[in-house]
Amino acid sequence: MNPSRIIYQETSPYSAFTAFLEEDERTTYLYLQCENNPEWGIKSLWIRNHTVAPLERDPDDFQKGLAPILLKHEITQPEGLPSFKPEDIHFIWTEEGDGLFLFLGDEMEAFLPSWSGVKGFHGYARGAREDAITASPLGDPNNGILYDRMIASRKYWEGRSSKDSWKNIQKNRLEYLESKFGKHEKYWSADGGKFPELGIAKFRPSHLPNISVFVTIGMSAQNQPSVELYHKDYEKFARIELLLAFQIPESSDRSEEWVQHLIGEMIKFPWNTGKWFGHGHTLGMNRKDPDQLYLDFNSTILRNLSHSELSNNSLPDLSDQQTENGQPANYLAIIPLTEEEKMICQTEGSSKIFKALDERGFGWIHNPEREFLFV
């Protein structure tokens, strides 16, 4: 038996996922793996058989390390199909970067979505006649929900490749934030020269004395991956910006670089790992606040200020930011917590944390000199 070989390979536009087509003399499969998150695993999707389809699978194939061959009744062309020509292959990645469409010339051949690997599902292949062990039917490749999803993905990438795309995104976000917090004081590029373009802006709002507000610029220009695995109406939650507001101690003359570094470490996390940020999520905090006085803040919790229950005049309305696809941008406040507070959040729910913050007047603003929330 001939060994398997990779006939085509491509990295996602976010440089975090690699997709490749691998064939042996029996089958061709499409694989997708995350380079930065081993927990994400590897997704697989049957594309076609190259030999006459059997009536039953050989139980020894798995022990031999062979990819499953689909059976005669499971596929549309049981006589088998030839190998692909690499020059005919191209991918269209989903906006989120954790799924892709496989094309042969102008024909859609398969779709490996973000929900591949969930409950035994692998993806959609044109050659599948019925739901099988490693593929489900693609349906009409020129009509329907999957076709519409492909068209939306293609239009997204065409839009992002236009000359003024990032300039317009940046201008839109800064103008919106300046209408809420006043003129920005500083701006830093935070993308390392790689797609997607991202920045961080600093504000010193006149109506918030001794408060610094740092906000990401550009995270909301693309959907986060994996959100649709958790929300049916995922587009309402898929686009975010991060915000960190903190009280400056009167005696402090320390650098604020820890904020830039903290946000900088988080800003590409969704697209690098296939994970998403949302309301109530907790994360580690690798950068220490040099002004922390009584507590050791080593974790953070995210609070959605765009759908906030806060009745606080110091919080501007952040619910009306429209992104390029017509969906809202969700501004998530990063709020430092102690290890003990994080444990309470994980055992009793994030609402208990937010209620305690509100009762003490902190709400969405980090005070490095505050005391433990639960005394």
Side-chain angles (χ1 to χ4, degrees):
M1 180 172 289
N2 294 329
S4 61
R5 66 187 184 98
I6 294 174
I7 58 173
Y8 185 81
Q9 180 171 306
E10 186 173 305
T11 301
S12 73
Y14 303 115
S15 304
F17 289 82
T18 300
F20 57 93
L21 281 166
E22 185 174 271
E23 72 167 21
D24 57 28
E25 65 181 21
R26 301 158 61 255
T27 63
T28 292
Y29 269 76
L30 174 63
Y31 294 97
L32 180 64
Q33 63 185 18
C34 182
E35 302 297 335
N36 305 312
N37 181 10
E39 295 178 2
W40 198 84
I42 184 167
K43 316 298 185 185
S44 61
L45 173 62
W46 173 91
I47 302 299
R48 63 172 50 170
N49 286 356
H50 300 304
T51 61
V52 176
L55 297 177
E56 296 180 351
R57 267 179 283 276
D58 185 341
D60 293 332
D61 283 353
F62 182 77
Q63 297 297 329
K64 296 174 184 176
L66 299 175
I69 190 168
L70 294 199
L71 304 182
K72 182 177 181 179
H73 68 275
E74 295 174 330
I75 61 179
T76 59
Q77 294 177 296
E79 70 277 8
L81 292 168
S83 299
F84 291 117
K85 296 178 180 179
E87 61 269 23
D88 293 337
I89 301 167
H90 71 273
F91 295 156
I92 294 179
W93 292 84
T94 60
E95 175 181 336
E96 299 80 9
D98 60 348
L100 70 157
F101 297 87
L102 165 64
F103 273 76
L104 296 180
D106 295 329
E107 296 295 325
M108 189 197 304
E109 193 75 9
F111 175 42
L112 193 158
S114 62
W115 54 93
S116 175
V118 176
K119 296 182 179 179
F121 179 81
H122 286 255
Y124 307 92
R126 190 174 186 180
R129 174 180 288 171
E130 61 184 53
D131 290 334
I133 186 172
T134 50
S136 294
L138 179 68
D140 185 348
N142 299 309
N143 290 284
I145 294 174
L146 298 185
Y147 174 79
D148 292 343
R149 180 79 176 253
M150 181 276 296
I151 292 296
S153 297
R154 188 173 70 185
K155 287 183 176 179
Y156 168 78
W157 292 114
E158 288 173 351
R160 290 306 301 267
S161 64
S162 64
K163 180 181 177 182
D164 294 327
S165 172
W166 170 236
K167 180 180 177 181
N168 292 333
I169 290 166
Q170 188 182 49
K171 180 175 182 289
N172 173 274
R173 302 305 186 275
L174 281 172
E175 287 182 350
Y176 177 81
L177 290 168
E178 288 182 341
S179 74
K180 307 295 182 178
F181 297 114
K183 192 73 175 175
H184 73 279
E185 190 175 89
K186 292 182 181 179
Y187 180 90
W188 302 267
S189 175
D191 51 42
K194 295 182 179 181
F195 184 84
E197 298 96 333
L198 296 163
I200 303 171
K202 178 188 175 182
F203 301 85
R204 288 292 301 274
S206 58
H207 69 288
L208 296 173
N210 299 318
I211 301 292
S212 287
V213 181
F214 288 75
V215 192
T216 62
I217 303 292
M219 290 184 75
S220 61
Q222 52 277 319
N223 287 346
Q224 298 182 94
S226 300
V227 181
E228 60 188 311
L229 301 181
Y230 300 89
H231 287 285
K232 186 175 181 180
D233 51 348
Y234 75 96
E235 290 185 327
K236 294 181 181 179
F237 304 91
R239 295 199 169 203
I240 65 160
E241 300 287 356
L242 298 177
L243 177 154
L244 200 161
F246 64 95
Q247 181 80 39
I248 306 169
E250 293 183 7
S251 60
S252 177
D253 58 357
R254 297 180 183 178
S255 170
E256 297 177 343
E257 287 186 3
W258 71 276
V259 181
Q260 298 164 238
H261 288 302
L262 177 63
I263 296 177
E265 290 170 352
M266 299 172 68
I267 200 167
K268 281 196 170 185
F269 181 87
W271 301 279
N272 281 344
T273 64
K275 296 183 177 181
W276 63 291
F277 289 150
H279 181 72
H281 289 192
T282 56
L283 305 101
M285 181 174 171
N286 296 325
R287 302 287 174 169
K288 295 295 183 183
D289 180 351
D291 289 313
Q292 61 186 28
L293 187 59
Y294 305 110
L295 301 175
D296 181 19
F297 299 108
N298 52 22
S299 295
T300 62
I301 189 169
L302 300 178
R303 185 173 199 176
N304 194 330
L305 302 181
S306 300
H307 301 281
S308 179
E309 71 286 0
L310 276 169
S311 57
N312 188 328
N313 292 331
S314 70
L315 175 64
D317 181 8
L318 296 174
S319 65
D320 54 350
Q321 168 80 87
Q322 288 270 312
T323 63
E324 289 68 29
N325 68 351
Q327 295 296 330
N330 294 275
Y331 283 86
L332 304 181
I334 304 168
I335 303 172
L337 299 178
T338 68
E339 183 65 23
E340 293 82 1
E341 291 166 345
K342 184 189 79 170
M343 293 298 295
I344 291 172
C345 173
Q346 292 176 340
T347 56
E348 302 185 44
S350 60
S351 59
K352 184 165 184 173
I353 297 291
F354 298 138
K355 181 180 179 182
L357 286 166
D358 293 346
E359 288 174 347
R360 287 155 180 76
F362 303 127
W364 59 290
I365 297 172
H366 168 55
N367 185 338
E369 296 184 346
R370 74 169 174 86
E371 297 184 355
F372 185 59
L373 291 174
F374 306 97
V375 179

